[in-house]
Amino acid sequence: MNCKIEKMTERHWREVSKIYLEGINTGRSTFQTEVPKWPDWDNSHIKSCRLIACLDNRVLGWAALSPISSRCVYAGVAEVSIYIGKEYRGKGMGTALLKNLIKLSEQSGFWTLQSAVIKENTGSIALHKKCGFRKIGIREKLGKMNNGLWHDVVLMERRSKLVGVN
């Protein structure tokens, strides 16, 4: 499926938030229980690294970076969020989004991208590996879902070959 990758803006938030809610409802994409309001989401994500995949003006998925720390020594390290609409999963959207987000992150000076993926989310783990991330560990029983079940989280990272110390 050919999709267009473009910068995410506030005008996309209604569709982006619906896709985010679909991820929440899977019970394996995030420990979040509700979609934040735009101002909260906007303030917690890096403005230069937000993308959507779209087709015929429909948002099919999104990806964005969040800072991992406010300390200046971690200015080049960010955490990846990536969500694909349920009817578009497995069609290449995730790969297109993540590869473009990696390129954009390097243009913005990021040398390390990290992801914390719920262990049962095998599709996301495979996507990250396909895009050059490696598994660096597992945090056991890191978070609990509303149903009371604890979940392990797979820690993954990708080191830039273009930015930072190699």
Side-chain angles (χ1 to χ4, degrees):
M1 176 179 286
N2 281 340
C3 63
K4 181 179 175 186
I5 306 296
E6 63 183 58
K7 297 250 181 168
M8 179 197 304
T9 67
E10 183 177 0
R11 73 180 169 91
H12 301 114
W13 182 244
R14 187 178 62 78
E15 289 180 274
V16 165
S17 65
K18 286 181 182 179
I19 293 168
Y20 195 11
L21 183 59
E22 287 177 2
I24 290 170
N25 290 338
T26 66
R28 59 186 158 95
S29 296
T30 180
F31 292 112
Q32 290 286 122
T33 57
E34 58 187 41
V35 176
K37 301 290 185 212
W38 168 256
D40 295 328
W41 189 93
D42 183 46
N43 289 329
S44 64
H45 290 78
I46 297 164
K47 294 185 183 350
S48 64
C49 294
R50 305 169 177 188
L51 297 172
I52 58 164
C54 57
L55 182 65
D56 300 327
N57 295 317
R58 284 189 335 265
V59 176
L60 313 178
W62 62 272
L65 295 182
S66 304
I68 61 134
S69 175
S70 61
R71 294 177 57 199
C72 63
V73 296
Y74 297 112
V77 183
E79 183 168 0
V80 173
S81 294
I82 184 164
Y83 289 81
I84 307 301
K86 63 183 171 185
E87 60 196 87
Y88 303 108
R89 294 178 193 147
K91 299 179 191 255
M93 297 313 126
T95 302
L97 272 170
L98 191 50
K99 285 184 176 182
N100 278 274
L101 186 65
I102 290 166
K103 182 178 178 181
L104 186 59
S105 75
E106 291 175 332
Q107 291 169 354
S108 298
F110 290 93
W111 57 80
T112 299
L113 298 181
Q114 65 183 40
S115 281
V117 183
I118 295 172
K119 189 176 179 181
E120 290 82 8
N121 194 345
T122 55
S124 185
I125 292 168
L127 168 64
H128 282 80
K129 284 182 181 177
K130 180 178 182 178
C131 292
F133 285 71
R134 66 185 179 98
K135 178 178 161 185
I136 59 171
I138 294 181
R139 296 186 75 187
E140 294 179 2
K141 295 182 173 78
L142 184 65
K144 186 167 51 168
M145 295 292 185
N146 281 342
N147 60 9
L149 295 177
W150 287 89
H151 292 272
D152 296 345
V153 171
V154 177
L155 301 176
M156 303 186 79
E157 76 171 10
R158 181 189 182 280
R159 219 21 229 245
S160 174
K161 293 176 175 46
L162 304 174
V163 180
V165 179
N166 294 314

